């Protein structure tokens, strides 16, 4: 079952302003892809793209990049900002991607796949990916340590207190951590080569 949240115009504006763009992870994904299938980067699809912070990071590597989101407000926000010419956005559910079978080189979901109907999404991603294509699911966890000079311990204590205060408001759909959700998705993929 998919969960629909964060669809309003205010959410879209906040996401664009405050969400972190995963620059380093995009570099790792592209390095992974280049080792396996160099020079075959025609189409990337960023599923659950929100206002497109991650989508634009794919533009230098692909002929065409399409961001998809179920929220019309997110798609409008993504389309309204300055985008490279090879990027477009479409409104659609993650489980019903508007691409032919075997058409896509890379499917990403950046901090979004935990909201999808995961078995249906994984089946759909597998359908649209070309043989040798790549599925990259990115997320973060509150189970992390930050490093910043000599205040690292204090910073981590503050974060732990903050996360503990937010835990009662976390969606029961996700449980206390999304790590298990992503490990389950990883383990359910039958790809012969995965990291």
């Amino acid at each position: 079952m998919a969960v629909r949240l964060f669809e309003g115009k205010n959410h879209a504006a906040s996401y664009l302003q405050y969400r972190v763009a995963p620059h380093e992870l995009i570099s790792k994904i592209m390095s992974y892809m280049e080792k396996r299938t160099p020079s075959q980067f025609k189409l990337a699809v960023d599923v659950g793209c929100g206002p497109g912070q991650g989508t634009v990071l794919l533009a230098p590597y692909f002929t065409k990049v399409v961001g998809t989101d179920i929220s019309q407000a997110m798609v409008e926000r993504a389309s309204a900002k300055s985008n490279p010419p090879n990027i477009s956005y479409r409104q659609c559910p993650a489980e019903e991607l508007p691409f032919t079978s075997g058409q896509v080189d890379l499917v990403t979901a950046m901090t979004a796949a935990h909201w999808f109907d995961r078995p249906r999404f994984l089946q759909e991603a597998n359908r649209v990916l070309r043989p040798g294509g790549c599925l990259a699911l990115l997320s973060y966890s509150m189970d992390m340590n930050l490093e910043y000079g000599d205040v690292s311990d204090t910073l981590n204590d503050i974060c732990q207190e903050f996360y503990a205060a937010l835990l009662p408001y976390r969606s029961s759909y996700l449980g206390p951590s999304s790590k298990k959700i992503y490990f389950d998705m990883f383990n359910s993929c039958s790809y012969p080569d995965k990291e």
Side-chain angles (χ1 to χ4, degrees):
M1 171 186 84
V3 175
R4 294 182 66 166
L5 299 171
F6 317 114
E7 293 192 58
K9 290 186 180 199
N10 290 338
H11 274 117
S14 294
Y15 261 56
L16 185 57
Q17 185 174 0
Y18 297 113
R19 295 293 290 211
V20 175
H23 296 274
E24 291 177 29
L25 292 175
I26 297 299
S27 295
K28 287 184 186 232
I29 292 165
M30 294 314 303
S31 175
Y32 177 87
M33 288 187 70
E34 287 166 354
K35 288 178 198 169
R36 283 145 189 85
T37 56
S39 304
Q40 292 187 20
F41 307 136
K42 294 178 184 129
L43 176 60
V45 177
D46 183 22
V47 183
C49 69
Q53 298 100 313
T55 312
V56 297
L57 299 178
L58 298 169
Y61 302 100
F62 292 87
T63 305
K64 183 176 179 182
V65 181
V66 179
T68 70
D69 204 286
I70 192 122
S71 165
Q72 183 62 36
M74 290 290 189
V75 170
E76 287 172 4
R77 177 62 67 167
S79 299
K81 66 183 183 16
S82 177
N83 286 294
N86 62 332
I87 290 183
S88 63
Y89 296 94
R90 295 185 190 173
Q91 182 186 11
C92 69
E95 303 82 5
E96 299 171 24
L97 299 173
F99 304 97
T100 59
S101 297
Q103 181 183 6
V104 179
D105 297 297
L106 171 67
V107 172
T108 61
M110 303 185 209
T111 318
H114 48 272
W115 297 116
F116 304 160
D117 179 326
R118 294 182 292 275
R120 285 184 59 216
F121 164 68
L122 292 173
Q123 185 176 23
E124 184 68 348
N126 192 51
R127 181 189 70 77
V128 301
L129 280 171
R130 68 164 167 77
C134 181
L135 169 64
L137 305 177
L138 290 64
S139 194
Y140 57 87
S141 170
M142 292 188 272
D143 305 328
M144 63 182 170
N145 286 312
L146 304 173
E147 294 181 19
Y148 191 78
D150 61 352
V151 297
S152 297
D153 290 340
T154 303
L155 185 58
N156 283 305
D157 290 344
I158 292 168
C159 286
Q160 290 303 323
E161 182 180 339
F162 176 70
Y163 295 149
L166 290 179
L167 194 56
Y169 304 100
R170 188 172 169 88
S171 171
S172 59
Y173 178 78
L174 297 177
S177 172
S178 57
K179 269 186 175 179
K180 182 178 179 345
I181 292 170
Y182 282 86
F183 278 123
D184 288 349
M185 283 190 287
F186 177 83
N187 290 327
S188 72
C189 290
S190 60
Y191 304 127
D193 182 19
K194 60 184 183 179
E195 292 180 15

